[in-house]
């Protein structure tokens, strides 16, 4: 096992500092072993971080740089991260439980955000508005100033990379709270900032408890914009706090996303998508394919093939799973695993059929069997609740209207998918699915370039893509009487 530092601090105003709250033991969910201690920030530490960000913003150091120079610094951070991918991926794998190859993908993708938004830094242009020859009128984009970013444990690197890089590209100073269960690998962002010489206070990275440091961030009167990814319950609290200060939020919340599988779908292709859609990161993905709504003519065959795939997955410690393939790591914690198992038990009593899986694995660590459920009641608990585990619910349909109705009948609307060889059918269905992203014939199609975010209770605002830049700026109109 690779050696990792025993004690990890917070990064405020370009200094590595302790936290006023407790020390947290970070554990490896694959075996329960202690990995390292994380210093936890309290409310005063949050106040220090916000004040460092405010001083940085008010000094004008970020806005004074030509955007291309700011962009270059951001890209250099990405390059520095790429040079440390193996180290970062090892730590992510150990603290979070995902297979090492998935952790490497995540570390590489997070560097890609720095490249993408570094390139975008110099592209935000205002417009000139005609008011007749006696006026010159134009708009400019200005940063909110201090961006607070609260991060979950499932993709701690990618989720923070996308908001840090877009936030700095638009000349905001950022205060970022890493998740309690997987805080260590994100500290490489602060190391990257240090390595490239970001001005003091531009990036402040702290770990702290949600109810303490997280709440202090979303309530702080000097924070001007909040980006949150996590659960619906926490999203509501954060939006309420931000509303007290009239501060905009971007909320990326949960999902119960459905793939509609038409009778003409390429089933080999669908099964490949299902493997990625529900078993990546042990299903702890907000945009997971958690429901498959399958045409009655092919339903039995698809369920059988999905079960064969689930049974073929080798489940065990992520650090031993170095190559892409039929494998899966641990869930983040025993509590998450137990929650997934209990939801499966109750689905069983509610009439669903557990085709395979449905239980924890009987060895040490937070492992859950890859699970295929059939005959799930779309309006019952399993049909409506985000499991956040390796559990997919199959539902049979007879006609397309019925399939779309079932797909849209949850409180969420993060993503959706349609598998068919018929382009008209794909387009008609894509328009009817109530979600922020629709995948046709490949789950997770898209990339850092494509806007991502929810309809309904999956949240509001968009991360990723050019569109996300506009979360971090406000428009100023300047009208000149000539
Ligand atoms: P969570 O809401 O418990 O925690 C997320 C973050 O919020 C953590 O950093 C936590 O410390 C912080 N937090 C907790 N309470 C807080 C409070 N009162 N004030 C401020 N911050 C607080 O969520 P989780 O358990 O870490 O993540 C799982 C959930 O997140 C799932 O429901 C999943 O769907 C959702 N999620 C959504 C996306 C997305 O992009 N839409 C991505 C990942 C996870």
């Amino acid at each position: 096992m690779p050696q990792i530092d025993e004690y990890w601090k917070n990064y405020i105003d370009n200094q590595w500092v302790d936290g006023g709250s407790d020390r947290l033991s970070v554990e490896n969910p694959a075996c329960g072993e202690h990995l390292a201690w994380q210093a936890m920030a309290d409310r005063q530490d949050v106040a220090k971080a916000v004040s460092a960000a405010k001083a940085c913003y008010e000094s004008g150091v970020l806005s004074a740089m030509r955007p291309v120079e700011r962009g270059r610094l951001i890209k250099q951070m990405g390059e520095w991260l790429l040079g440390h991918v193996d180290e970062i991926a090892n730590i992510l794998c150990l603290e979070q439980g995902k297979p090492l190859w998935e952790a490497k993908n995540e570390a590489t993708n997070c560097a890609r955000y720095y490249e993408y938004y570094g390139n975008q830094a110099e592209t935000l242009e205002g417009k000139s508005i005609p008011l007749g020859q006696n006026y010159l009128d134009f708009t400019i984009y200005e940063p909110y100033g201090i961006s607070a970013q609260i991060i979950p444990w499932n993709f701690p690197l990618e989720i923070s990379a996308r908001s840090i890089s877009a936030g700095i590209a638009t000349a905001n100073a950022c205060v970022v709270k890493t998740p309690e269960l997987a805080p260590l690998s994100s500290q490489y962002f602060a190391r990257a900032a240090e390595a490239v010489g970001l001005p003091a206070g531009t990036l402040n990275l702290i770990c702290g408890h949600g109810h303490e440091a997280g709440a202090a961030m979303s309530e702080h009167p000097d924070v001007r914009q909040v980006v949150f990814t996590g659960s619906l319950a926490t999203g509501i609290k954060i939006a309420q706090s931000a509303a007290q200060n009239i501060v905009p939020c971007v909320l990326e919340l949960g999902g119960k996303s459905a793939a509609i599988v038409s009778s003409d779908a390429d089933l080999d292709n669908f099964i490949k998508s299902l493997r990625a859609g529900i078993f990546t990161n042990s299903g702890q993905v907000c945009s997971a394919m958690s429901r498959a709504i399958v045409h009655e003519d092919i339903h039995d065959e698809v369920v059988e093939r999905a079960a064969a795939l689930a049974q073929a997955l080798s489940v065990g410690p992520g650090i031993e799973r170095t190559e892409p393939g039929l494998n899966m790591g641990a869930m983040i914690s025993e509590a998450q695993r137990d929650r997934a198992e209990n939801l499966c038990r109750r689905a069983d009593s509610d009439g669903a059929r557990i085709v395979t899986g449905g239980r924890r694995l009987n060895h040490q660590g937070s492992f859950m069997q890859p699970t295929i459920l059939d005959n799930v009641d779309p309006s019952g608990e399993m049909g409506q609740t985000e499991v956040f585990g390796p559990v997919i619910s199959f539902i049979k349909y007879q006609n397309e209207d019925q399939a779309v109705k079932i797909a849209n009948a949850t409180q969420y609307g993060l993503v959706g998918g349609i598998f068919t060889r018929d382009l008209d059918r794909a387009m008609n269905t894509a328009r009817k699915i109530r979600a922020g992203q629709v995948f046709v014939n490949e789950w997770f199609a898209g990339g850092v370039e494509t806007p991502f975010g929810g309809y309904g209770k999956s949240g509001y605002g968009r991360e990723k893509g050019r569109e996300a830049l506009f979360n971090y700026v406000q428009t100023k109109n300047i009208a000149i009487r000539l």
Side-chain angles (χ1 to χ4, degrees):
M1 191 149 23
Q3 277 294 311
I4 61 177
D5 296 345
E6 177 61 11
Y7 186 57
W8 297 64
K9 293 187 176 181
N10 301 299
Y11 187 70
I12 300 177
D13 209 11
N14 285 15
Q15 307 287 324
W16 292 98
V17 294
D18 276 322
S21 194
D22 49 344
R23 267 190 339 168
L24 190 81
S25 169
V26 181
E27 282 158 15
N28 179 347
C31 58
E33 269 174 23
H34 165 85
L35 286 171
W37 293 101
Q38 168 68 50
M40 297 297 270
D42 64 6
R43 283 182 170 267
Q44 283 180 333
D45 300 314
V46 168
K48 283 183 201 151
V50 173
S51 132
K54 189 177 180 193
C56 169
Y57 172 63
E58 289 185 347
S59 75
V61 62
L62 295 174
S63 299
M65 272 183 220
R66 283 186 69 132
V68 65
E69 291 168 24
R70 221 169 38 240
R72 280 184 192 135
L73 279 177
I74 296 165
K75 288 205 286 182
Q76 283 165 22
M77 283 177 73
E79 284 153 20
W80 187 92
L81 291 164
L82 276 182
H84 294 77
V85 158
D86 287 339
E87 215 177 304
I88 299 170
N90 270 324
I91 294 171
L92 176 63
C93 165
L94 290 173
E95 65 177 345
Q96 204 276 347
K98 63 183 67 183
L100 186 58
W101 65 271
E102 285 187 22
K104 269 191 193 158
N105 283 348
E106 182 172 348
T108 310
N109 290 347
C110 90
R112 170 80 181 109
Y113 282 105
Y114 287 86
E115 180 186 44
Y116 180 75
Y117 285 115
N119 281 331
Q120 299 270 332
E122 61 176 324
T123 66
L124 266 196
E125 296 171 345
K127 55 188 167 196
S128 125
I129 298 170
L131 291 180
Q133 64 181 12
N134 292 329
Y135 294 92
L136 173 62
D137 189 284
F138 58 94
T139 60
I140 56 174
Y141 290 115
E142 293 187 337
Y144 279 102
I146 299 147
S147 168
Q149 305 170 357
I150 300 173
I151 310 297
W153 46 258
N154 62 336
F155 288 93
L157 295 180
E158 284 198 49
I159 291 173
S160 36
R162 69 191 187 197
S163 41
I164 294 171
S165 56
I168 302 175
T170 43
N172 290 276
C174 304
V175 178
V176 181
K177 191 190 90 56
T178 59
E180 299 91 312
L181 290 171
L184 307 180
S185 47
S186 311
Q187 294 213 1
Y188 280 79
F189 298 140
R191 294 184 189 185
E194 206 170 32
V196 309
L198 270 195
T202 307
L203 174 61
N204 304 278
L205 196 98
I206 56 180
C207 187
H209 298 286
H211 61 85
E212 188 177 17
M217 281 168 70
S218 55
E219 289 162 11
H220 200 294
D222 287 334
V223 162
R224 300 314 308 154
Q225 185 250 10
V226 181
V227 183
F228 170 72
T229 302
S231 62
L232 175 56
T234 308
I236 292 170
K237 286 187 197 156
I238 286 175
Q240 283 170 338
S241 303
Q244 297 297 321
N245 294 321
I246 317 291
V247 160
C249 296
V250 179
L251 299 179
E252 300 278 13
L253 309 174
K256 186 75 184 177
S257 304
I260 298 176
V261 190
S262 237
S263 52
D264 68 346
D266 173 343
L267 294 191
D268 290 344
N269 178 54
F270 172 67
I271 292 294
K272 212 167 127 197
S273 263
L274 183 145
R275 188 261 169 270
I278 191 61
F279 299 126
T280 297
N281 200 16
S282 295
Q284 301 165 119
V285 182
C286 48
S287 50
M289 185 199 289
S290 46
R291 295 178 296 155
I293 305 172
V294 183
H295 192 272
E296 58 183 352
D297 289 353
I298 52 164
H299 166 273
D300 293 355
E301 182 188 351
V302 177
V303 170
E304 199 177 300
R305 291 181 67 171
L309 169 81
Q311 285 161 359
L313 289 175
S314 113
V315 185
I319 206 74
E320 295 166 10
R321 279 147 183 80
T322 55
E323 296 299 328
L326 289 175
N327 56 43
M328 200 175 80
M331 292 184 70
I332 186 74
S333 65
E334 290 183 358
Q336 282 290 328
R337 191 239 4 238
D338 293 351
R339 179 176 173 277
E341 191 185 43
N342 286 331
L343 279 161
C344 290
R345 267 186 221 281
R346 291 202 293 272
D348 189 14
S349 345
D350 290 349
R353 180 168 76 94
I354 298 182
V355 184
T356 186
R359 295 278 180 270
R360 68 189 62 199
L361 275 169
N362 283 335
H363 50 72
Q364 208 191 3
S366 318
F367 296 101
M368 174 80 188
Q369 294 173 340
T371 300
I372 306 292
L373 302 178
D374 191 18
N375 196 29
V376 171
D377 173 2
S379 57
E381 184 188 43
M382 178 53 79
Q384 293 287 318
T385 308
E386 180 176 49
V387 177
F388 228 55
V391 178
I392 184 166
S393 297
F394 276 82
I395 300 161
K396 202 189 279 186
Y397 79 85
Q398 281 93 33
N399 65 60
E400 276 159 34
D401 285 349
Q402 188 192 12
V404 170
K405 209 164 158 196
I406 295 169
N408 288 341
T410 75
Q411 63 177 338
Y412 297 112
L414 193 53
V415 304
I418 162 84
F419 290 77
T420 175
R421 290 188 167 96
D422 178 336
L423 185 58
D424 283 352
R425 176 180 283 160
M427 277 314 302
N428 283 333
T429 309
R431 287 222 171 90
K432 288 180 194 155
I433 292 176
R434 199 177 50 90
Q437 280 197 348
V438 176
F439 309 126
V440 177
N441 290 334
E442 184 187 301
W443 202 263
F444 298 140
V448 306
E449 307 89 342
T450 49
F452 175 72
Y455 281 23
K457 290 194 178 160
S458 290
Y460 49 74
R462 294 290 176 267
E463 287 280 56
K464 304 167 78 169
R466 182 165 174 77
E467 199 157 324
L469 286 175
F470 298 95
N471 297 325
Y472 299 87
V473 291
Q474 43 202 341
T475 306
K476 180 179 278 178
N477 188 81
I478 300 180
I480 303 172
R481 175 76 165 95
L482 298 172

